[in-house]
C-alpha cells in the first residue's frame, strides 16, 4: 500500500515538474530535455490560455474517414466514407455530462495537425509527425469501432470546412464548403479480423 502511494506521489511530482518546464520561459534545463518534455506533454497535457481567452471557431469541420486493405489477390479494397464528426456529435448530443474528450479530441487533433503540417501535408518536425500519428490513431480506432471487425491497414481522411451561418440566417441549405481537403492514405496498425 505504501509503495503504491509513494509511486503515485512520485508520478504526480514528475508530471507537475515536466508541465512546469513546458510552460516556463526557455531555460537551460528545458532546452536540454526538450524532446522528453514534449513527448510527455503533447498532445494529452498541452497547456494553453483558451479557457481565459477563448477563440471560438468560425467554421464547422466535418471529418470523414475511409479504410482500405490489401486483398489476398493484391488488389486494394476501399471502404465507403463515414462521418467521424457525426459520431462525435451523437456521443455528446443527448448526454447530460459529456466528457471534454468526447467533445474535443478529434477537433483538437485536426487543429494540431493543420498547425504542424500546413496546406501541403508535409511533416517538418518530430512534433508534426507525432500529430499525424495521433490523428491517424484516433481515426483508426473510431474506424475499427464503426467497421465492427472488418480488416484494414490503411486510412484516409477528408475534411470539409463550411462557414458558420450568421445568426438569424434563413434557408434550408447548409453553406457551401470553403475547403474540401483530401489527405493522403496513411498506413495504420492492422485492425480487424
Amino acid at each position: 500500500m505504501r509503495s503504491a502511494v509513494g509511486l503515485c506521489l512520485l508520478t504526480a511530482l514528475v508530471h507537475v515538474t515536466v508541465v512546469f518546464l513546458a510552460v516556463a520561459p526557455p531555460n537551460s534545463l528545458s532546452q536540454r530535455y526538450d524532446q522528453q518534455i514534449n513527448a510527455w506533454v503533447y498532445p494529452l497535457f498541452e497547456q494553453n490560455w483558451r479557457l481565459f481567452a477563448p477563440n471560438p471557431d468560425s467554421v464547422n469541420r466535418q471529418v470523414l474517414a475511409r479504410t482500405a486493405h490489401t486483398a489476398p489477390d493484391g488488389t486494394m479494397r476501399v471502404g465507403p466514407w463515414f462521418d467521424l464528426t457525426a459520431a462525435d456529435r451523437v456521443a455528446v448530443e443527448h448526454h447530460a455530462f459529456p466528457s471534454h474528450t468526447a467533445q474535443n479530441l478529434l477537433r483538437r487533433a485536426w487543429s494540431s495537425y493543420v498547425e504542424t503540417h500546413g496546406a501541403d501535408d508535409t511533416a517538418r518536425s518530430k512534433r508534426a509527425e507525432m500529430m499525424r500519428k495521433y490523428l491517424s490513431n484516433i481515426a483508426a480506432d473510431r474506424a475499427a469501432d464503426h467497421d465492427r471487425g472488418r480488416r484494414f491497414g490503411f486510412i484516409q481522411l477528408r475534411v470539409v470546412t463550411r462557414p458558420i451561418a450568421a445568426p438569424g440566417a434563413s434557408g434550408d441549405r447548409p453553406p457551401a464548403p470553403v475547403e474540401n481537403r483530401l489527405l493522403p492514405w496513411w498506413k495504420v496498425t492492422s485492425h480487424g479480423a
Side-chain angles (χ1 to χ4, degrees):
M1 176 71 169
R2 287 184 186 190
S3 60
V5 170
L7 182 62
C8 288
L9 287 173
L10 180 64
T11 303
L13 180 65
V14 168
H15 174 73
V16 168
T17 303
V18 172
V19 171
F20 172 78
L21 289 172
V23 298
N27 58 58
S28 59
L29 192 59
S30 66
Q31 290 173 346
R32 182 175 179 189
Y33 295 105
D34 185 56
Q35 185 176 359
Q36 291 86 352
I37 291 170
N38 286 340
W40 181 266
V41 172
Y42 297 104
L44 298 177
F45 304 114
E46 177 182 8
Q47 304 293 306
N48 63 46
W49 290 96
R50 291 185 185 195
L51 175 64
F52 303 106
N55 184 12
D57 285 336
S58 59
V59 295
N60 282 327
R61 287 186 183 84
Q62 179 184 21
V63 181
L64 300 113
R66 66 179 173 178
T67 58
H69 73 277
T70 306
D73 63 1
T75 61
M76 183 75 93
R77 302 283 168 94
V78 178
W81 289 104
F82 67 95
D83 193 342
L84 297 174
T85 307
D88 277 4
R89 198 173 301 115
V90 167
V92 170
E93 204 166 77
H94 298 291
H95 195 287
F97 300 104
S99 76
H100 179 73
T101 304
Q103 297 176 56
N104 295 315
L105 187 69
L106 183 62
R107 182 180 61 79
R108 289 290 294 138
W110 173 250
S111 296
S112 296
Y113 176 84
V114 170
E115 288 171 8
T116 58
H117 284 76
D120 63 353
D121 297 311
T122 303
R124 291 180 180 81
S125 67
K126 288 185 180 186
R127 183 168 189 268
E129 183 58 29
M130 179 182 64
M131 295 318 299
R132 186 205 59 79
K133 286 180 184 175
Y134 181 58
L135 180 60
S136 68
N137 286 342
I138 291 169
D141 287 345
R142 294 188 182 181
D145 291 344
H146 178 268
D147 288 349
R148 292 183 179 82
R150 195 175 82 214
R151 231 181 54 182
F152 67 92
F154 301 92
I155 195 157
Q156 184 179 36
L157 299 180
R158 185 175 82 203
V159 181
V160 180
T161 305
R162 291 182 177 85
I164 294 176
S170 61
D172 296 332
R173 295 184 322 192
V178 292
E179 182 182 26
N180 192 345
R181 186 167 173 179
L182 184 65
L183 276 61
W185 283 101
W186 294 329
K187 176 111 176 92
V188 294
T189 305
S190 185
H191 285 76

